[in-house]
Amino acid sequence: MAYEKELDAAKKAASLAARLCQKVQKALLQSDVQSKSDKSPVTVADYGSQAVVSLVLERELNSEPFSLVAEEDSADLRKDGSQDILERITKLVNDTLATEDMLKAIDSSTSFAAPTLSTDDLLRAIDCGTSEGGPTGRHWVLDPIDGTKGFLRGDQYAVALGLLEEGKVVLGVLACPNLPLASIAGNNNNKSSSSDEIGCLFFATIGSGTYMQPLDSKSDPVKVQVSSVENPEEASFFESFEGAHSLHDLSSSIANKLGVKAPPVRIDSQAKYGALSRGDGAIYLRFPHKGYREKIWDHVAGAIVVTEAGGIVTDAAGKPLDFSKGKYLDLDTGIIVTNEKLMPLLLKAVRESIADQEKPSPL
C-alpha cells in the first residue's frame, strides 16, 4: 500500500492522542479549560494530544523532514501562572507514551524504560506544529481535538490528522472516541457493525479506499463506502452542532428544496466526515457566518476519508477544496459533501437557496 509507513505512524499517533483525550474527558475539571483570545475553549487534552501526535510522528518517521501544521502553540502555557497546568499535561503525555512503550516491550520481550519528557520537551513538541504549510513539500496537518465544545459536553470530537504532498491530500486518519461503530443515522448501507461498541478509527490513503476499525481493539479494518442513495427524499444530512459554525437556516432551505424528509443530524467535529464515509447519512452541509475563514486542519483528514469512500467534497460553487494556500481555506460560501449521484441536485439547491437569501426583502 502507498504511504504504508506514514499511515502506520499516523494511526498510532492519532490513537494514542485519542487515548489521552478519553482519560481527560472522564475526569474533566473546570480548571482544565483555558480561554483563548477567540473565546474557544482550549483544554489540557488539546495540548496533550498535539504533543503526543508530534512526538510519535517524529519518533516513527525520524529519517524524514518534519513539517506539522496544527491548531495550538505553547504561548499560553509559557505565561505566568501556567506551571501547574503545564506539569499536568507533561505527566499525561509521559503516562500515555509509557503505556504504549510498556505494551510494546511486553510484546517483544524487551526491557522497558518509561519516557521522561520535561516541561521544556513538551513545549517544544507542541511548537513543532507551527508550520505554515503551503504548495510544496510534505506537511502533516493536525487538529488535536476537533470539536472542543463537543469534547467538553462529553459528546462527539475527533483527533484529525492528514498529510499533504505538494498541496494535495494523500492520507487522512480520524480517531473518533465517542462515535459508535454502528450507524448513527439509521440508513447505513455498509452494515459494517451491529455492535454497541463505541470508538472508531477511520483511515484513507490516496487511491486505496477508506477503512474503519474499532479504536480500542486489534479487529481487522473494514472497507467503507458512502451512501448510494439517489433520491434526495431518502437522504439524511449532517450539519454542525454549533450554530456559530454553520447557518442552520440556509441548510434547512437547501434540504427543503431537495425534498429531504429526515431532520438534520447535528454533531460536532470531523466525526461527521467519518460517519458520512460509511453511509450513515448522504449529505453534509457547512455554511459558516460571513467573515469566518475555514482552517485546513478542520477538513484535510475528513475530506480524503470521504473522497476515498466514493464521496465528493467541494465548496458551494462545486470547486474542489484547495489545501495548498497555507493554514486557511479561502472558498465560496461554504462546504458541501455528498455522493456522485446527488451532487448535481445538491449544487442546484445550494445555488437557489443562496440566491433566495441574497434577494432584497420586500418593503
Side-chain angles (χ1 to χ4, degrees):
M1 186 190 282
Y3 302 101
E4 189 172 358
K5 182 180 166 193
E6 293 86 350
L7 180 61
D8 285 346
K11 286 169 67 178
K12 181 184 287 188
S15 299
L16 275 175
R19 189 183 299 166
L20 178 148
C21 294
Q22 286 172 295
K23 189 173 179 181
V24 176
Q25 194 180 50
K26 280 176 185 165
L28 192 62
L29 301 169
Q30 204 54 44
S31 62
D32 284 344
V33 182
Q34 290 193 318
S35 182
K36 267 196 310 198
S37 58
D38 65 0
K39 303 299 184 209
S40 64
V42 177
T43 62
V44 166
D46 230 341
Y47 292 118
S49 172
Q50 182 157 318
V52 165
V53 169
S54 170
L55 290 160
V56 171
L57 288 180
E58 201 168 35
R59 186 166 71 179
E60 298 290 317
L61 306 169
N62 56 10
S63 61
E64 297 176 18
F66 185 68
S67 167
L68 178 64
V69 184
E71 185 170 19
E72 307 303 342
D73 62 49
S74 70
D76 286 347
L77 294 175
R78 294 178 187 272
K79 290 177 181 171
D80 290 346
S82 297
Q83 191 61 27
D84 286 352
I85 208 164
L86 178 56
E87 285 173 5
R88 280 197 61 201
I89 299 166
T90 305
K91 182 177 187 310
L92 260 174
V93 170
N94 275 324
D95 289 350
T96 302
L97 296 176
T99 305
E100 172 69 7
D101 289 349
M102 184 169 64
L103 292 172
K104 197 191 292 182
I106 290 168
D107 283 347
S108 58
S109 303
T110 55
S111 59
F112 163 69
T116 52
L117 295 167
S118 67
T119 52
D120 282 344
D121 294 331
L122 183 101
L123 293 168
R124 184 198 62 79
I126 291 169
D127 284 336
C128 277
T130 54
S131 169
E132 292 293 322
T136 56
R138 276 188 164 193
H139 305 283
W140 290 94
V141 180
L142 169 69
D143 195 334
I145 295 185
D146 184 39
T148 315
K149 289 179 179 173
F151 175 82
L152 293 171
R153 283 198 314 272
D155 207 343
Q156 296 301 333
Y157 66 98
V159 178
L161 180 61
L163 178 61
L164 296 176
E165 202 166 66
E166 310 306 323
K168 305 286 185 195
V169 195
V170 296
L171 177 158
V173 175
L174 292 174
C176 307
N178 290 339
L179 189 67
L181 252 66
S183 172
I184 57 170
N187 60 350
N188 184 309
N189 63 334
N190 282 291
K191 303 289 181 275
S192 50
S193 176
S194 58
S195 97
D196 296 330
E197 200 171 342
I198 303 289
C200 302
L201 185 71
F202 297 91
F203 57 92
T205 53
I206 194 161
S208 299
T210 297
Y211 294 82
M212 178 187 80
Q213 66 188 114
L215 185 55
D216 290 330
S217 82
K218 300 273 197 261
S219 300
D220 289 340
V222 289
K223 195 167 189 178
V224 295
Q225 293 263 223
V226 296
S227 168
S228 55
V229 166
E230 296 182 28
N231 181 353
E233 287 187 15
E234 297 167 14
S236 58
F237 75 96
F238 292 120
E239 63 181 355
S240 300
F241 186 93
E242 295 290 332
H245 293 168
S246 197
L247 298 166
H248 289 164
D249 287 353
L250 180 55
S251 296
S252 178
S253 166
I254 294 163
N256 287 338
K257 284 185 187 296
L258 284 169
V260 172
K261 291 177 177 169
V265 179
R266 289 178 179 162
I267 60 174
D268 296 286
S269 84
Q270 287 175 76
K272 290 185 284 293
Y273 280 112
L276 205 76
S277 76
R278 68 185 186 189
D280 283 14
I283 298 166
Y284 167 32
L285 303 172
R286 180 177 170 109
F287 294 99
H289 292 265
K290 259 193 170 34
Y292 180 82
R293 291 181 81 191
E294 293 280 7
K295 288 93 170 174
I296 62 171
W297 50 71
D298 286 325
H299 301 284
V300 162
I304 191 171
V305 162
V306 165
T307 55
E308 283 296 318
I312 302 176
V313 182
T314 73
D315 69 10
K319 294 182 191 141
L321 305 188
D322 183 355
F323 295 112
S324 71
K325 302 285 178 62
K327 290 185 175 184
Y328 292 98
L329 270 177
D330 288 318
L331 41 77
D332 188 324
T333 313
I335 292 172
I336 58 177
V337 186
T338 190
N339 63 30
E340 207 173 313
K341 296 276 173 54
L342 286 176
M343 185 55 93
L345 295 170
L346 179 57
L347 275 169
K348 180 172 181 287
V350 167
R351 272 195 302 270
E352 289 174 0
S353 295
I354 290 171
D356 287 350
Q357 287 211 337
E358 288 172 350
K359 282 178 189 167
S361 43
L363 295 173

